[in-house]
Amino acid sequence: MKYNSFYAKLYLNLQSINQILFQNMIIYSRNRRLRTNAAIRALVQETTLTTSDFVMPIFVMEGINRQEPISSMPGIFRRTLDLTVKECQELFSLGVKAVNLYMKVSEDLKDNTGKESWNPNGLMQNTIKAIKDAVPGMVIMPDVALDPYSMYGHDGIVTNGKIDNDATNESLVKMSVSCAEAGADIIAPSDMMDGRVAAIRTGLEENGFTDVGILSYAAKYASSFYGPFRSALDSAPVDNQDVPKDKKTYQMDFHNSREAIDEVLKDVAEGADIIMIKPGMPYLDIVAKVREAIDLPIAVYNVSGEYAMLKAAAQNGWLDNDKAIIESLTCIKRAGADMIFTYAAKEAAILLNQ
């Protein structure tokens, strides 16, 4: 009791001394002064989100005048080419000036080479041409990877039970050149094969496409957040004992961050014009580290799983949909992104325009 009483008295004495010392103290620095009202907050706002920051991923399927909802991604559809063009026109009118294209390929066109991906009359090539004709100012970024065209659902060619890196690069070059011939502005290889940026850059240069850019998925992780996307294209790896069961031999291990810097620097050296980091919000530490390491533009992919989680929470009344969309995209830009690939691009553009 004596011990407790001593410290109680000491505490009271210190409190009295503090009151004497600081009762007339002026707080000269108050952060709250710059939060007083909306106008002041806008003046000192460090990060601004605009419609020009967005790239809208688009799913295209064969047929005419049809669209199919993707159940795990509310508000997102697979559309036929004619409706895709109309969607691109609407996006452009809202201020979204770039699209990222993905094809849902019929099973009879899939094989282990991905040869349909460089068919000059294929769905991808016809889609690029149609969008360019209808919306000449739209920046078109076709996804370059073999998984939608692969009978195995992998981004590369399977040889003896493994992904054949170098053979895959040859196919990626053919696909890239074919997309450039159709009118693509920027090639977006998402496959994560080693050396493919240099191979694609060489292929583009040799065929006269010196102005076609490369947006390299330099730090793409083997993530569990891709599930809704793979269901949208039926492009998940097949359950077959003769092929890898997942993509972990070529996509990055989510435990690693230093490796991401190494991947990025190699792609920069090989001629990439823009660097992609994927996924987005769970990997903002990677975005910030890469931003410190390079001066090239950085793209960040706000992936299907991130979108689906937000929508599910909003539908259950756990989040305010509109506020959460704008906040999440602003956080990605604040971390260092120059552009954001997001399924919420159209919705966010409408909100920002309001």
Side-chain angles (χ1 to χ4, degrees):
M1 290 295 293
K2 288 182 179 180
Y3 179 84
N4 290 337
S5 176
F6 169 79
Y7 280 98
K9 289 179 179 179
L10 178 61
Y11 174 77
L12 291 173
N13 288 335
L14 289 173
Q15 287 292 91
S16 299
I17 293 170
N18 285 337
Q19 289 175 5
I20 294 169
L21 289 175
F22 299 112
Q23 62 183 349
N24 296 319
M25 181 179 176
I26 297 173
I27 302 176
Y28 288 95
S29 179
R30 294 181 185 268
N31 294 73
R32 292 177 56 191
R33 294 186 190 120
L34 299 183
R35 303 174 192 147
T36 302
N37 57 52
I40 292 176
R41 291 193 295 271
L43 282 172
V44 299
Q45 181 174 296
E46 298 175 24
T47 305
T48 301
L49 189 70
T50 74
T51 59
S52 297
D53 296 324
F54 303 143
V55 179
M56 180 70 180
I58 299 277
F59 298 117
V60 187
M61 65 181 184
E62 296 282 3
I64 300 175
N65 196 32
R66 291 192 303 116
Q67 65 177 21
E68 298 174 351
I70 300 170
S71 60
S72 56
M73 301 170 68
I76 305 300
F77 299 85
R78 289 181 290 263
R79 295 183 176 90
T80 53
L81 178 51
D82 53 332
L83 297 186
T84 296
V85 169
K86 291 181 180 178
E87 179 70 4
C88 288
Q89 291 172 322
E90 185 174 355
L91 286 166
F92 199 82
S93 71
L94 291 170
V96 178
K97 305 291 179 62
V99 291
N100 179 217
L101 302 180
Y102 298 88
M103 303 298 114
K104 187 177 187 302
V105 180
S106 60
E107 292 298 320
D108 62 308
L109 294 176
K110 296 181 180 182
D111 64 7
N112 191 33
T113 69
K115 66 178 183 295
E116 178 61 21
S117 69
W118 60 85
N119 178 357
N121 295 309
L123 182 58
M124 174 69 87
Q125 289 74 9
N126 288 335
T127 300
I128 295 170
K129 293 172 187 175
I131 295 173
K132 269 300 176 188
D133 287 343
V135 196
M138 182 68 84
V139 176
I140 301 177
M141 304 182 186
D143 179 71
V144 170
L146 300 187
D147 50 331
Y149 305 90
S150 168
M151 60 192 290
Y152 298 123
H154 274 287
D155 293 48
I157 294 170
V158 178
T159 303
N160 298 324
K162 296 180 179 180
I163 304 303
D164 191 329
N165 187 98
D166 297 358
T168 298
N169 284 346
E170 294 177 12
S171 292
L172 297 176
V173 171
K174 293 176 184 178
M175 182 180 182
S176 298
V177 171
S178 180
C179 289
E181 289 172 340
D185 299 283
I186 297 174
I187 303 301
S190 63
D191 55 285
M192 286 295 287
M193 298 297 118
D194 293 331
R196 93 279 206 212
V197 172
I200 292 170
R201 184 73 268 161
T202 300
L204 292 173
E205 296 293 316
E206 289 177 347
N207 286 275
F209 296 109
T210 57
D211 292 333
V212 174
I214 298 176
L215 184 152
S216 170
Y217 286 60
K220 180 180 180 180
Y221 285 81
S223 172
S224 58
F225 287 92
Y226 302 150
F229 171 91
R230 289 174 181 167
S231 65
L233 292 182
D234 293 329
S235 61
V238 299
D239 185 11
N240 186 318
Q241 63 180 4
D242 296 325
V243 301
K245 65 179 181 179
D246 53 40
K247 302 187 178 186
K248 292 181 180 180
T249 62
Y250 48 99
Q251 293 179 356
M252 283 185 58
D253 184 343
F254 68 83
H255 298 87
N256 298 349
S257 65
R258 295 192 304 273
E259 182 187 5
I261 304 300
D262 181 56
E263 289 275 8
V264 166
L265 294 179
K266 285 176 178 174
D267 283 6
V268 171
E270 290 180 20
D273 300 287
I274 304 170
I275 292 298
M276 169 70 84
I277 298 165
K278 184 179 181 182
M281 289 191 69
Y283 293 79
L284 294 187
D285 61 317
I286 307 300
V287 178
K289 289 180 180 180
V290 172
R291 177 74 289 162
E292 290 294 318
I294 67 170
D295 294 322
L296 285 183
I298 294 175
V300 174
Y301 208 128
N302 180 224
V303 301
S304 60
E306 299 170 55
Y307 177 87
M309 288 192 302
L310 188 154
K311 285 298 179 183
Q315 288 177 348
N316 279 282
W318 300 333
L319 289 176
D320 181 304
N321 179 79
D322 296 355
K323 291 180 179 178
I325 285 174
I326 298 301
E327 181 179 347
S328 61
L329 296 177
T330 301
C331 290
I332 292 173
K333 190 173 181 187
R334 186 191 67 216
D338 296 288
M339 65 195 75
I340 305 169
F341 286 51
T342 176
Y343 301 96
K346 183 178 182 180
E347 195 172 358
I350 292 170
L351 292 171
L352 291 173
N353 287 332
Q354 290 172 351

